[in-house]
Amino acid sequence: MSCDLRVRIGPLELANPVGVASGTFGYGAEYEELVDLDALGAIYTKAVTKAPRPGNAVPRIVETPAGMLNSIGLANPGLEAFVDRKLPELRKLRAAVFVNVAGSSEDEYLEVVERIEAAAGPWAQPGSGAARSGVDGYEINVSCPNVRHGGLAFGTDPAQVERLTAAIRARTARALVVKLTPNVADVSPIARAAETGGADAVSLINTLVGMVIDVRRRRPALAMGTGGLSGPAVRPVGVACVHKAARAVKIPVIGLGGITCADDALQYLLAGASAVQVGTGTFVDPRTAAEVLAGVQAWMEAQGVARVEDIRGMLLA
Amino acid sequence: MRQFQARIIANRPVAEAWRELVLEWEAEPPEPGQFLTLRVSPRLDPLLRRPFAFSGFSPADPAGGAPATASAVYQVRGSATALLAEIAPGNFLDAIGPLGKPFPLPAAGETALLAGGGIGLGPVLFLARRLRALAAAGQGSPEPRLLLGFRNAASLPELDLPEGSLLCTDDGSAGFRGTPTAKLAADAALAELGHRARLYACGPAAMLAGLAALAKERGWRASLSAEQWMACGVGACMGCALPRADGQGYLRACADGPVFEGGEIDWAAEAARAAPPVKAGAAPRPAQGPAGAGPGKERT
């Protein structure tokens, strides 16, 4: 039996449901010697901001039980360098590319999207034979816990999420995903705000705010004090958030948080996700996304499931 | 770089809490200064791969059937290296390498000064052997000078150190009493060399800070190997950043380094960050890092 692995996100059809998460995969080229980039369902780029960002003071990462804490601070070369240097590289990729966009004000998000729209030119479905534009969609980051302005301040307020989403929607016909934070009492109103604003999908979870203290030095382990927790330790939180969001909206939900194997991804798909992203799991083993996809396919064959999009209706009770 | 299952040839103690790991090496030959990452356990805790600087490489011997091998000297100082120390030869480890930028070789006629501090001796030994082989073949530079710093005579490792290595100990229980930096600073003949000398070093940040300052004063070019915690090891995550000396942001230890030119990194800031804990009620002590295994640092 051949499985149908395709997933639809707004106008975009992904070849398969397993992508690699923003901030963990650079712009793709960093992993090209280790990973078959063409086999990925989607690549979500490192966040792009209007101005270059050097990133936060060091140390920026620390390992935690079955996880890690990071406070990178959206380090990136900025919009113009992205357009000049990264976009031409992204055009070489066959996999769908979501450009992750961050900003400290609504205007900054809009400026980034407008500039990339103008530079990328018209969009065509990946695999259609048309020239690749380098950008198949946007993932709007309203959930970074490691920057002072923007980030979480947007992502925890439904009114702001709806307004920002609608403003970006008015500027692009490409697939539009809003990335949500788990650092709220309930993800449902935020997910609904993104849907009302015109998003094609929501992705969650971004990292959980966490802290590690070096007791010998009596200092936080990270220079910024707190950071974002990721890795297998957060997976049950992510699955619960996806389960909730999927029941709050009709648009697709993209699940991420702690996926290191096919069973982890299947938990997200059964919870209601249409697609998943592998993040920290790639650091542990760059082959993780490929192994997750192979394992999902094997599970579908064993269970007699023809279409990957059917999995989200299969959860019992 | 390649990811492959590397067979362990040896994993033996060479000093208290120091071990030498020898792997059958199936990827391209590593250069001195480069590193590999290992997943020390298939479990999820400890989670991240660990970086290890190469301390040597032997190409395959087709006549005798011996495979190519690569080695690394590491310190057991956290949960991951404790697990690694328990893995017997014959087992396999998930390896990625070679990674990072190697030491640039000295220009013709340049005198190479090599300094290793503590567990930072690995990449310096690898470079020393490479330069000696080149010198023996009549290529490139004069014989390199190698200085290795240790706490005391009891901490000297059972390793095959190149002939003519100058040992330094903090307490004078073996060799020169003091650090490699102090020994280099005291040598008037070296001061005369100016730009005809090139310094290579790996060790704790405080040592690199001192050596960067000395190299600047003497007019030596300097290539210093850094250590920093890493997540991806391939340049994607920006986690292993080091502060640039010019204040213009950060460089990545994994992909921009781990070998940097002396003036590139704010080593003093790194040394201050790595300083030992301050006792309650005590004034902060001057920066003095623990013996480091550049690149990468094991959590404790």
Side-chain angles (χ1 to χ4, degrees):
Chain A
M1 187 185 77
S2 79
C3 306
D4 184 352
L5 295 169
R6 293 172 299 173
V7 176
R8 184 160 280 278
I9 306 291
L12 174 64
E13 186 181 277
L14 305 178
N16 72 66
V18 185
V20 284
S22 176
T24 64
F25 212 74
Y27 304 89
E30 290 84 346
Y31 272 104
E32 68 185 350
E33 289 180 58
L34 299 172
V35 175
D36 179 3
L37 302 180
D38 292 343
L40 297 170
I43 294 172
Y44 299 79
T45 70
K46 178 78 187 156
V48 178
T49 55
K50 182 185 166 191
R53 288 182 60 95
N56 287 339
V58 300
R60 295 177 175 179
I61 55 172
V62 63
E63 193 173 56
T64 62
M68 66 176 282
L69 203 59
N70 87 80
S71 180
I72 308 296
L74 302 178
N76 82 99
L79 177 58
E80 287 312 314
F82 172 81
V83 167
D84 289 348
R85 302 205 305 262
K86 304 297 183 187
L87 193 54
E89 295 300 310
L90 294 176
R91 289 199 171 105
K92 296 176 187 166
L93 299 172
R94 282 168 61 188
V97 174
F98 284 88
V99 175
N100 187 286
V101 177
S104 57
S105 68
E106 193 174 306
D107 285 348
E108 282 186 19
Y109 283 94
L110 299 180
E111 205 172 314
V112 171
V113 171
E114 284 171 0
R115 178 81 179 91
I116 293 175
E117 281 291 299
W123 176 75
Q125 191 72 244
S128 67
R132 300 285 286 133
S133 72
V135 185
D136 297 297
Y138 298 96
E139 183 180 51
I140 306 305
N141 182 352
V142 290
S143 42
C144 179
N146 298 325
V147 291
R148 282 210 181 80
H149 304 289
L152 269 184
F154 279 102
T156 54
D157 178 354
Q160 285 202 61
V161 167
E162 183 181 333
R163 200 177 66 217
L164 178 64
T165 307
I168 295 171
R169 177 78 285 168
R171 285 160 174 83
T172 183
R174 286 180 162 85
L176 178 57
V177 177
V178 178
K179 187 169 183 178
L180 306 181
T181 179
N183 297 298
V184 287
D186 183 357
V187 295
S188 304
I190 320 280
R192 277 195 292 268
E195 180 178 48
T196 308
D200 294 311
V202 291
S203 56
L204 66 164
I205 55 175
N206 205 323
T207 55
L208 284 151
V209 175
M211 189 175 196
V212 169
I213 292 173
D214 179 336
V215 296
R216 289 188 314 121
R217 293 189 167 84
R218 288 178 286 117
R219 282 185 193 140
L222 299 183
M224 299 302 284
T226 60
L229 183 64
S230 66
V234 311
R235 193 202 62 221
V237 178
V239 172
C241 286
V242 163
H243 184 259
K244 197 154 199 181
R247 278 144 191 80
V249 296
K250 294 190 175 62
I251 53 176
V253 174
I254 301 166
L256 71 152
I259 295 176
T260 61
C261 63
D263 280 9
D264 295 347
L266 285 161
Q267 288 196 44
Y268 276 99
L269 296 172
L270 286 165
S274 298
V276 295
Q277 298 174 15
V278 174
T280 300
T282 301
F283 298 158
V284 179
D285 185 344
R287 299 167 303 196
T288 301
E291 288 176 1
V292 165
L293 180 61
V296 167
Q297 223 169 329
W299 183 89
M300 288 172 68
E301 281 163 17
Q303 298 279 330
V305 182
R307 303 186 324 143
V308 75
E309 291 199 324
D310 292 339
I311 300 176
R312 66 193 156 98
M314 291 175 62
L315 185 66
L316 302 173
Chain B
M1 81 185 77
R2 262 194 69 201
Q3 181 177 13
F4 64 100
Q5 291 295 311
R7 192 166 67 91
I8 301 176
I9 306 282
N11 185 8
R12 65 183 186 98
V14 294
E16 196 189 341
W18 287 15
R19 301 180 79 87
E20 183 184 45
L21 179 69
V22 182
L23 300 173
E24 195 170 320
W25 192 252
E26 294 174 19
E28 59 268 36
E31 298 294 327
Q34 290 189 297
F35 67 99
L36 75 159
T37 63
L38 293 174
R39 192 171 177 197
V40 301
S41 156
R43 295 180 303 179
L44 299 176
D45 192 23
L47 183 67
L48 298 171
R49 310 177 73 85
R50 295 297 195 267
F52 299 91
F54 289 105
S55 60
F57 174 74
S58 301
D61 174 10
T69 61
S71 56
V73 184
Y74 67 97
Q75 183 172 19
V76 179
R77 52 179 170 186
S79 57
T81 44
L83 279 172
L84 178 59
E86 297 295 315
I87 306 177
N91 287 293
F92 289 81
L93 289 167
D94 173 353
I96 297 178
L99 297 165
K101 292 190 176 154
F103 287 113
L105 294 181
E110 237 175 9
T111 298
L113 311 173
L114 279 59
I119 194 73
L121 86 171
V124 172
L125 281 180
F126 189 7
L127 179 63
R129 290 195 195 100
R130 172 67 54 88
L131 296 181
R132 284 172 64 94
L134 287 173
Q139 295 169 27
S141 319
E143 192 84 336
R145 307 270 291 265
L146 175 63
L147 296 85
L148 298 171
F150 304 94
R151 291 221 166 87
N152 49 47
S155 64
L156 299 182
E158 289 170 33
L159 287 168
D160 192 15
L161 302 179
E163 211 177 297
S165 303
L166 180 75
L167 303 183
C168 307
T169 53
D170 293 344
D171 64 359
S173 51
F176 174 77
R177 180 185 186 134
T179 63
T181 310
K183 180 69 181 164
L184 286 167
D187 193 325
L190 294 182
E192 302 287 307
L193 284 173
H195 65 272
R196 284 169 291 142
R198 182 163 195 135
L199 176 67
Y200 297 90
C202 182
M207 172 182 171
L208 299 184
L211 286 172
L214 179 66
K216 191 177 176 189
E217 201 179 296
R218 296 285 194 266
W220 304 334
R221 294 165 75 195
S223 297
L224 310 176
S225 178
E227 68 163 27
Q228 182 60 287
W229 291 4
M230 290 182 187
C232 76
V234 299
C237 75
M238 321 303 277
C240 64
L242 291 163
R244 288 172 60 139
D246 61 10
Q248 302 295 306
Y250 299 86
L251 292 167
R252 298 163 298 179
C254 71
D256 300 314
V259 175
F260 294 97
E261 290 305 292
E264 269 187 296
I265 300 296
D266 184 349
W267 299 109
E270 272 306 285
R273 186 177 69 69
V278 177
K279 284 217 177 79
R285 282 187 286 171
Q288 186 187 21
K297 178 182 264 183
E298 175 59 15
R299 292 106 187 117
T300 49

